[in-house]
Amino acid sequence: MNDNSSLIPMRGPGPMGPPPGEQAARGAALGMRPLVIECLHILRRRKWIILVVIAGALLAALVVTLLSRPVYTATTQVQVSRDENNVTNVQGVESENAGRDLEFYQTQYALLEARSLAERVARGLRLGENEDFWNAHGLDPETIDAAAVRTGQAADPRAAGDVRENAAVEMLLENIAIDPIRGSALVDVSYSSFDPELSAQIANAWVNEFIAQSIARKFDSTAEARSFLEQRLEELRGRVEDSERALVDFATARGIVTLASNTGGEGSAQFRERTLAAENLEGLNEQLIAATAARIEAEAIASGTGAAQTTPTLASLREQRALAASEIAQLSVQFEPGYPRLAALREQVATLDAAIAEEQSRIGGEAREALQSARLREAELRARVNGLSGEVLSQRRDAIQYNIYQREADTNRQLYDSLLQRYKEIGVAGVSASNIAVIDPAQPPQRPSSPNLILNLLLAAIAGSIGALGLVFVLEQSAEGVTDPSKVQELLGVPLLGSVPLVPEGDNPGELVADPKSEIAEAYFAIRSSLAFTTPQGVPRSFMLVSSQPAEGKSLSAMALALAMGRTGKSVLLIDADLRNPSAHSYLGTHRQFGLSNYLAGQDAVAELIQPVRENVDLLASGPSVPSAAELFSSERLRALVLRMAEQYDHVIVDSAPVMGLADAPLVSQAVEAVVFVAEAGRVSARGLNSALERMVAAGVPVVGAILTKLDQRSSHYGYGYEYSYDYAARSERLPVEA
């Protein structure tokens, strides 16, 4: 028997191999496939489950759609503007920019779904008493009343009406839908029921009540302001009356009579009232100034220096005398003094001089009389001005207090007028047009909105797909067996030597293994090739096949490997060490009348116990049944037999009993160089397989690899492995591997 240290241990520590954990990680990394390919493999492997789940979902959707009562949805489209049309051009209580907040539209949408609005609609349409409303939602109002009576909510008819109204409100809220149109100020208000006419009626009523509620809310928002202003106006009215009464009483007591009011410059806030005394003083002062001017003029006339000494008559007389004197001067040059004409002219000049003197005397007398009169008038006016000046000065001293009363009265009056104006403005501010406008009122729909067969089938397909994927995920996660060859290294910690397809039902596995052209034979040939790389010397000289439980394909694998090696020209001895349930003889068409049990019992003629079964392949059958196989394996005879046969044959293959529940396999493993673990795909959980491997590792013999049997060839999950293995096997037949 060869030294076991020459092998590369794949399970447990050994002198020539890396630790098991490192080997597992390395094997897992090599066996990893892209996640997309992994998912595609799972989907193809579980395709019937997925199809059944999706088909069930589609069938359920079809049945539900056909049995569902048609629902009609009516939609009213409204426009909710940020700025409202201000008809009165009067600012209201709320800020003009209040509607520009980012929360404006969200607030409007929430108000459209408010319970208070549903209550207004229910009361306005009297839905609690409307039998058509309940029928349009598939409800019986009597059932609601009975439920209210049972719960004690309706003890009298009025309470029963309230219960119906509350139920109608809940029904409205359940069936109303507010859908804003993105990027616009438009909102679709939709209502759904079994009655198209009722759906349109409620959708329109909902919008109308919303507009009415919005307008009412604006008026209500000014109620508190109007109440406050009314109180303040009442207070200011009393203060205005008191202040004006005090002003009049003071003016009466002090004899202050105001005539008119005047203001300061443009934009000035100053205000002043003129009294009767001041007005009289101003008039007398103007008359005094005029009288003084008249007296000065009269003095000038009286003194003869004034311009008033010359009158039109006097001027005419002086002009006539000047003409007559001029003519006398001319005639005196030509004629004698006694010339008649000169004498006449001299008489005329003397007459004119007398007339001028008389006129001057008359003017002087009148001037003296005017001067006297002007002096008397000036003195009289000055006396009266002096008297009024004292009175005005006294009133000016009283004007300080008078102005105090005046300002208080004016201030109170201004406050009162301002509040009264604001009160009137608030009263008309609500007349502004609503910022909500109906664009398209709801019309009774001609076709039902649901159930929608196409949409329901699409949703069912999506839900079925999600459910199917979830089910596949659960099945994959709950599957404890090893079903993926690429996961053998990761789950078991040993390398995968190869995978064997499931034998089609009705076929003889023994015949398929014996046929070199069959897929199973090619799979085992690929496994034989993988065994050639498990040790530096190639295929182990002696190895055993073991499984965790019976009927996992262990015996068939042992025979198939023996035949595959025999076809390469190697001499192989197959030993059936499964004394409890032998099957190698049946696969090879021989008997077990004698065999291993005879040798272990003491017969030394081994050659008589070996049966030639195929070219280069001999069989040592299990032999007759024995009462205690473990006792026979406890001796050194099996170890000595394997050592002797390894010298006569190129390879010795031992078919052992299952590991779990029996002590045979660990005992048999002491006689061979290596162990090959056989596991049926998906049958035994990974925990069970690891437990069996741990028992074999505890025996101290390296496990060089695992064979995954009975893989469903129809599943694409394993197709890649098959194609690779079979192609490799075909090339191996053309170029035999020496091991």
Side-chain angles (χ1 to χ4, degrees):
M1 179 177 177
N2 297 337
D3 187 4
N4 289 345
S5 64
S6 64
L7 302 175
I8 299 177
M10 296 301 172
R11 188 85 180 188
M16 298 184 62
E22 183 179 342
Q23 288 188 20
R26 183 184 306 168
L30 293 175
M32 288 177 60
R33 287 177 293 184
L35 180 60
V36 175
I37 297 178
E38 184 76 16
C39 293
L40 290 177
H41 287 166
I42 294 175
L43 293 178
R44 296 183 65 181
R45 179 158 47 90
R46 303 284 188 178
K47 60 184 177 182
W48 292 114
I49 295 178
I50 296 175
L51 291 177
V52 168
V53 173
I54 294 177
L58 291 175
L59 181 61
L62 178 62
V63 172
V64 170
T65 301
L66 295 178
L67 296 179
S68 298
R69 187 176 176 182
V71 176
Y72 296 87
T73 301
T75 301
T76 300
Q77 190 174 85
V78 298
Q79 178 182 0
V80 181
S81 303
R82 288 184 177 179
D83 299 324
E84 61 186 19
N85 298 326
N86 196 348
V87 177
T88 60
N89 197 26
V90 176
Q91 180 180 352
V93 176
E94 296 182 356
S95 171
E96 293 181 356
N97 297 325
R100 300 185 182 274
D101 298 335
L102 297 177
E103 298 83 1
F104 172 75
Y105 281 111
Q106 293 298 328
T107 302
Q108 297 299 313
Y109 303 152
L111 291 175
L112 277 169
E113 297 176 330
R115 183 182 181 86
S116 59
L117 183 57
E119 292 175 351
R120 290 175 64 101
V121 174
R123 287 193 299 267
L125 298 179
R126 304 178 65 87
L127 297 180
E129 305 171 2
N130 191 341
E131 298 292 337
D132 294 336
F133 173 77
W134 301 109
N135 294 332
H137 294 88
L139 296 176
D140 185 3
E142 300 297 334
T143 304
I144 298 176
D145 296 340
V149 171
R150 285 196 304 270
T151 57
Q153 297 180 4
D156 54 62
R158 183 184 305 175
D162 294 340
V163 170
R164 282 196 182 187
E165 183 174 325
N166 292 333
V169 170
E170 296 295 337
M171 188 62 63
L172 289 174
L173 293 175
E174 291 178 3
N175 292 278
I176 197 70
I178 308 301
D179 300 317
I181 299 178
R182 189 183 180 117
S184 69
L186 301 178
V187 183
D188 287 339
V189 180
S190 303
Y191 190 82
S192 302
S193 70
F194 298 143
D195 187 349
E197 299 289 342
L198 183 65
S199 296
Q201 181 184 8
I202 292 179
N204 290 325
W206 194 278
V207 172
N208 293 334
E209 289 295 339
F210 178 67
I211 296 175
Q213 186 183 53
S214 177
I215 295 175
R217 187 167 54 252
K218 293 178 182 179
F219 279 105
D220 292 342
S221 65
T222 62
E224 183 177 355
R226 288 199 302 269
S227 177
F228 172 77
L229 290 178
E230 288 175 355
Q231 297 177 1
R232 292 292 297 158
L233 285 172
E234 188 64 27
E235 295 176 1
L236 285 175
R237 185 182 296 111
R239 292 173 58 182
V240 168
E241 293 176 355
D242 293 341
S243 59
E244 290 182 346
R245 185 178 296 107
L247 176 64
V248 173
D249 293 343
F250 181 81
T252 302
R254 300 303 175 92
I256 300 175
V257 179
T258 59
L259 299 178
S261 302
N262 59 2
T263 58
E266 182 177 358
S268 175
Q270 295 180 356
F271 184 82
R272 194 176 189 184
E273 290 190 350
R274 297 171 59 86
T275 62
L276 179 60
E279 188 72 14
N280 292 335
L281 177 61
E282 183 177 355
L284 289 177
N285 190 48
E286 292 176 355
Q287 294 179 18
L288 176 60
I289 293 173
T292 302
R295 190 257 310 167
I296 294 174
E297 183 180 1
E299 287 179 348
I301 294 174
S303 63
T305 60
Q309 285 282 20
T310 301
T311 64
T313 303
L314 183 60
S316 176
L317 292 175
R318 287 178 176 176
E319 182 179 1
Q320 294 176 10
R321 183 184 183 284
L323 291 174
S326 175
E327 187 177 357
I328 289 173
Q330 292 177 357
L331 293 176
S332 296
V333 173
Q334 298 176 358
F335 298 100
E336 292 293 331
Y339 185 70
R341 178 63 180 165
L342 285 176
L345 289 173
R346 288 190 183 97
E347 289 180 3
Q348 182 179 357
V349 168
T351 303
L352 290 173
D353 288 339
I356 289 171
E358 184 181 355
E359 182 66 21
Q360 288 180 345
S361 176
R362 185 186 63 81
I363 292 174
E366 291 180 355
R368 287 190 294 271
E369 292 178 359
L371 175 61
Q372 183 65 25
S373 176
R375 288 176 176 173
L376 292 176
R377 178 171 176 75
E378 180 184 8
E380 181 183 357
L381 288 176
R382 189 176 300 279
R384 293 181 62 186
V385 166
N386 292 334
L388 282 177
S389 296
E391 183 179 354
V392 169
L393 291 175
S394 177
Q395 286 186 354
R396 285 186 177 180
R397 289 191 294 270
D398 295 336
I400 297 175
Q401 185 62 36
Y402 179 84
N403 289 334
I404 294 175
Y405 287 121
Q406 183 70 54
R407 282 192 297 271
E408 182 177 0
D410 293 343
T411 301
N412 292 335
R413 188 180 299 107
Q414 290 175 359
L415 289 176
Y416 179 80
D417 292 340
S418 298
L419 290 182
L420 182 61
Q421 179 66 22
R422 186 56 179 160
Y423 180 80
K424 294 178 180 179
E425 290 177 352
I426 292 177
V428 299
V431 181
S432 58
S434 175
N435 62 325
I436 304 166
V438 177
I439 304 301
D440 291 324
Q443 301 295 332
Q446 302 299 321
R447 290 182 293 182
S449 59
S450 66
N452 189 328
L453 179 60
I454 302 300
L455 178 60
N456 289 349
L457 290 179
L458 179 60
L459 294 178
I462 296 174
S465 301
I466 295 174
L469 293 177
L471 179 59
V472 168
F473 177 79
V474 172
L475 291 177
E476 289 292 325
Q477 294 298 319
S478 61
E480 296 183 350
V482 179
T483 57
D484 186 355
S486 64
K487 298 297 182 64
V488 170
Q489 175 76 40
E490 178 183 351
L491 298 176
L492 304 182
V494 296
L496 177 68
L497 298 177
S499 56
V500 181
L502 179 66
V503 176
E505 187 177 357
D507 292 346
N508 188 341
E511 295 178 357
L512 293 176
V513 170
D515 182 5
K517 297 181 180 180
S518 67
E519 294 182 354
I520 294 180
E522 291 179 355
Y524 279 112
F525 194 86
I527 294 172
R528 179 261 169 208
S529 300
S530 299
L531 276 172
F533 300 99
T534 57
T535 69
Q537 293 77 25
V539 179
R541 296 295 300 274
S542 62
F543 61 92
M544 64 177 288
L545 279 78
V546 68
S547 62
S548 62
Q549 294 183 3
E552 291 193 63
K554 164 183 58 62
S555 299
L556 182 64
S557 298
M559 183 191 73
L561 288 175
L563 296 177
M565 293 178 183
R567 285 193 291 270
T568 63
K570 303 294 183 180
S571 59
V572 181
L573 174 63
L574 175 61
I575 300 177
D576 189 354
D578 189 357
L579 302 182
R580 302 176 187 274
N581 186 23
S583 57
H585 64 281
S586 62
Y587 284 132
L588 295 172
T590 62
H591 60 85
R592 65 180 183 94
Q593 297 177 0
F594 51 83
L596 181 60
S597 61
N598 299 102
Y599 172 79
L600 295 177
Q603 183 178 347
D604 293 329
V606 179
E608 299 177 357
L609 303 177
I610 297 176
Q611 307 176 49
V613 291
R614 297 289 188 277
E615 183 181 359
N616 298 328
V617 179
D618 294 338
L619 170 65
L620 179 57
S622 62
S625 299
V626 296
S628 178
E631 293 180 1
L632 295 178
F633 291 135
S634 299
S635 66
E636 293 293 326
R637 291 184 64 81
L638 180 60
R639 181 183 181 88
L641 174 64
V642 173
L643 286 174
R644 192 200 313 177
M645 294 298 103
E647 296 176 356
Q648 300 178 13
Y649 294 90
D650 292 326
H651 301 286
V652 178
I653 302 176
V654 180
D655 179 15
S656 174
V659 177
M660 303 305 294
L662 300 175
D664 298 0
L667 295 175
V668 174
S669 67
Q670 301 300 315
V672 296
E673 295 178 358
V675 175
V676 175
F677 191 77
V678 179
E680 179 180 345
R683 178 180 176 184
V684 184
S685 66
R687 292 193 300 270
L689 296 177
N690 278 290
S691 298
L693 285 169
E694 289 174 0
R695 289 194 63 187
M696 297 307 301
V697 170
V701 181
V703 179
V704 296
I707 299 174
L708 202 59
T709 63
K710 301 182 181 181
L711 291 174
D712 188 359
Q713 186 176 356
R714 295 169 299 177
S715 174
S716 62
H717 187 82
Y718 312 109
Y720 174 80
Y722 286 149
E723 294 174 1
Y724 177 80
S725 299
Y726 300 154
D727 181 67
Y728 182 81
R731 287 187 286 106
S732 298
E733 287 183 344
R734 294 192 297 270
L735 300 173
V737 178
E738 296 296 334

